[in-house]
Amino acid sequence: MDVVREFLRGAVPAHVLHHAAGQEVYGAWMAEELAHHGYRISPGTLYPLLHRMETAGLLTSREHVVDGRVRRVYTATETGRDTLAQLRTVVAEVAGEVLVHDE
Amino acid sequence: MDVVREFLRGAVPAHVLHHAAGQEVYGAWMAEELAHHGYRISPGTLYPLLHRMETAGLLTSREHVVDGRVRRVYTATETGRDTLAQLRTVVAEVAGEVLVHDE
DNA sequence: CCTGCGATGTCGGATCACGATATCAGCGCC
DNA sequence: GGCGCTGATATCGTGATCCGACATCGCAGG
């Protein structure tokens, strides 16, 4: 029942979209990036998430070969960028609601 | 795969703690309050959540009788307020990371 | 009575998180 | 050539969670 972890888990897609809107990203890179921000997400969570986001039309992927190794590279779709915009307003709202310190 | 909904679901405990730190709250009131902020949370999610948060030591509850009807009323514990503080910094961090608008 | 209301609680099926494990292709090295 | 290492993605099984529908409970009014 780690509520902080739960909150971060919910924020992962926002983070993914944020990065995938500006550049091409791939799973292992995202995992490392997220880890630097205090997220602890396991591959068994991240990869299925990327798949779902692609099936949902938020991301597109193509295979990129680096040193013979296949790397699945994602970018945000138009829908993905729209969703990111919604997400940003929602994040701002939540921040506004929770960050008020007058009890 | 509604990422906005997923994000909000992760933010619910923060919202609950935020309110339960300042006053006594109860399930149905929280549900309405959350609904006003765009959350759509079903009782089958909210009540078990409150129970888990109490078992985790974030909330304490007592029964309050109004018109003979029993109402379970929650307040944040010391641990709950500490967690809320952590949550606030995390929310601020996420907002800072995601709210940069240079695409 | 019996129905309605406010509020809490719980059921079953579906979805999801997670860590461990599998897979795959090239590289270095002996 | 055989062996293990590395980077990266994929998947399995178990356990936890979500959710809406339904159940409950006590009282008020007709």
Side-chain angles (χ1 to χ4, degrees):
Chain A
M1 183 71 227
D2 187 345
V3 292
V4 175
R5 190 180 175 101
E6 255 182 58
F7 174 78
L8 287 176
R9 184 173 56 73
V12 168
H15 229 287
V16 171
L17 281 175
H18 174 67
H19 282 108
Q23 51 185 307
E24 291 191 316
V25 299
Y26 61 98
W29 180 85
M30 267 309 318
E32 201 180 348
E33 170 72 13
L34 290 170
H36 285 162
H37 284 288
Y39 298 73
R40 274 172 301 145
I41 188 161
S42 85
T45 305
L46 181 59
Y47 287 106
L49 173 68
L50 292 173
H51 298 164
R52 285 199 302 275
M53 289 178 69
E54 186 175 12
T55 324
L58 303 171
L59 299 175
T60 24
S61 77
R62 61 186 188 86
E63 299 203 336
H64 192 214
V65 180
V66 178
D67 275 330
R69 294 183 193 81
V70 179
R71 197 182 272 183
R72 185 157 292 270
V73 167
Y74 293 90
T75 23
T77 64
E78 198 55 40
T79 317
R81 275 188 286 272
D82 291 351
T83 307
L84 177 58
Q86 288 180 46
L87 232 20
R88 291 210 234 249
T89 69
V90 172
V91 169
E93 282 173 14
V94 169
E97 292 159 12
V98 171
L99 255 46
V100 187
H101 285 79
D102 54 327
E103 286 114 33
Chain B
M1 183 71 228
D2 186 345
V3 292
V4 174
R5 190 182 177 101
E6 256 183 56
F7 175 78
L8 287 175
R9 183 171 55 72
V12 168
H15 229 286
V16 171
L17 281 175
H18 174 67
H19 283 106
Q23 52 186 305
E24 290 191 316
V25 299
Y26 60 99
W29 179 85
M30 268 305 321
E32 201 181 347
E33 170 73 13
L34 289 169
H36 284 160
H37 284 287
Y39 299 73
R40 275 171 301 144
I41 188 160
S42 85
T45 305
L46 181 58
Y47 287 105
L49 173 68
L50 292 173
H51 298 165
R52 285 198 304 274
M53 289 178 69
E54 186 174 13
T55 323
L58 304 171
L59 299 176
T60 25
S61 77
R62 61 187 188 86
E63 299 203 336
H64 192 214
V65 180
V66 179
D67 274 331
R69 293 183 193 82
V70 180
R71 199 182 270 183
R72 184 157 293 269
V73 166
Y74 294 90
T75 22
T77 63
E78 198 54 40
T79 317
R81 274 188 287 271
D82 291 351
T83 307
L84 177 58
Q86 289 180 45
L87 231 20
R88 290 209 234 245
T89 70
V90 172
V91 169
E93 282 174 14
V94 169
E97 293 158 12
V98 170
L99 255 45
V100 188
H101 284 80
D102 53 325
E103 283 118 33

